[in-house]
């Protein structure tokens, strides 16, 4: 069996929205956006969440909503024609994916908003201890994690920023 054609993986608290379609989707040349998120796939508001995200995709991409476990279970069955953009809203889910065998090589960190108990790393990325532990797990699996809000910005290694702001 061939490896799935994962062209981009991004953490964005907002999941699928216009910036993803307009900037990252085109940048990655994806044709399928896989929202890997338990709530969006099976949560009580899944239908509502999915409708909004499908509208944001503008019909330019096939869109799938899988739980983290389903993504782990079925990603190897993806067609070679599928250029997959995996979208998660937190680093713990990405850690679960890579630890579950999903062959992610790079994780782009976009928007993780400030909430009580988090510390600001950059204008668009704030983390707490759970997030830091998840990023460490991801990197331990040989996945590069960089903060980059838009493709024209210079990527910044997440662990170096965490260390600098500690």
């Amino acid at each position: 069996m061939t490896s799935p054609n994962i062209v981009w993986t991004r953490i964005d608290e907002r999941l699928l929205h216009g910036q993803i379609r307009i900037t990252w989707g085109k940048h990655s040349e994806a044709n399928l956006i896989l929202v890997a998120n338990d709530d969006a796939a099976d949560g009580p508001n899944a239908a509502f969440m999915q409708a909004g995200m499908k509208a944001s995709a503008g019909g330019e991409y096939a869109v799938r909503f899988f739980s983290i476990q389903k993504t782990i279970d079925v990603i190897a069955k993806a067609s070679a024609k599928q250029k997959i953009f995996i979208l998660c809203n937190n680093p713990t889910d990405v850690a679960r994916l890579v630890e579950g065998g999903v062959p992610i090589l790079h994780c782009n960190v976009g928007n993780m908003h400030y909430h009580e108990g988090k510390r600001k790393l950059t204008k668009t990325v704030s983390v707490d201890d759970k997030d830091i532990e998840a990023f460490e797990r991801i990197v331990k699996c040989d996945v590069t994690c960089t903060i980059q809000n838009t493709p024209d910005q210079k990527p910044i290694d997440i662990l170096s920023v965490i260390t600098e702001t500690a």
Side-chain angles (χ1 to χ4, degrees):
M1 187 164 296
T2 61
S3 187
N5 188 10
I6 299 170
V7 297
W8 202 251
T9 302
R10 179 173 170 91
I11 296 170
D12 194 312
E13 194 171 280
R14 302 170 294 174
L15 291 172
L16 180 51
H17 55 89
Q19 181 187 33
I20 299 298
R21 176 178 58 87
I22 293 166
T23 60
W24 290 109
K26 289 179 182 9
H27 174 76
S28 68
E29 299 182 357
N31 60 19
L32 177 120
I33 297 176
L34 169 56
V35 177
N37 180 271
D38 293 344
D39 288 334
D42 302 315
N45 296 318
F48 176 75
M49 291 174 70
Q50 290 177 16
M53 286 188 261
K54 284 179 183 176
S56 292
E60 294 177 49
Y61 305 93
V63 181
R64 303 287 183 275
F65 300 92
F66 291 170
S67 68
I68 299 303
Q69 190 58 53
K70 182 174 181 177
T71 302
I72 292 166
D73 294 343
V74 305
I75 195 78
K77 298 175 186 174
S79 163
K81 294 177 185 175
Q82 292 175 315
K83 297 176 186 177
I84 305 167
F85 184 129
I86 297 176
L87 189 56
C88 294
N89 71 349
N90 65 76
T92 300
D93 285 351
V94 175
R96 288 174 58 202
L97 290 174
V98 296
E99 291 168 348
V102 177
I104 295 169
L105 301 175
H106 176 261
C107 179
N108 165 253
V109 184
N111 292 293
M112 294 176 59
H113 298 128
Y114 178 81
H115 302 285
E116 189 69 37
K118 292 199 175 212
R119 70 173 192 219
K120 204 170 201 138
L121 296 182
T122 67
K123 183 178 174 183
T124 61
V125 177
S126 297
V127 296
D128 59 19
D129 291 342
K130 181 179 177 184
D131 297 327
I132 293 168
E133 186 262 335
F135 281 121
E136 290 170 345
R137 288 168 46 204
I138 295 165
V139 171
K140 190 176 183 179
C141 292
D142 295 323
V143 177
T144 304
C145 290
T146 56
I147 298 171
Q148 187 179 14
N149 202 39
T150 58
D152 61 326
Q153 294 176 339
K154 181 180 177 190
I156 304 165
D157 179 75
I158 186 82
L159 291 184
S160 67
V161 177
I162 289 170
T163 303
E164 288 172 13
T165 62

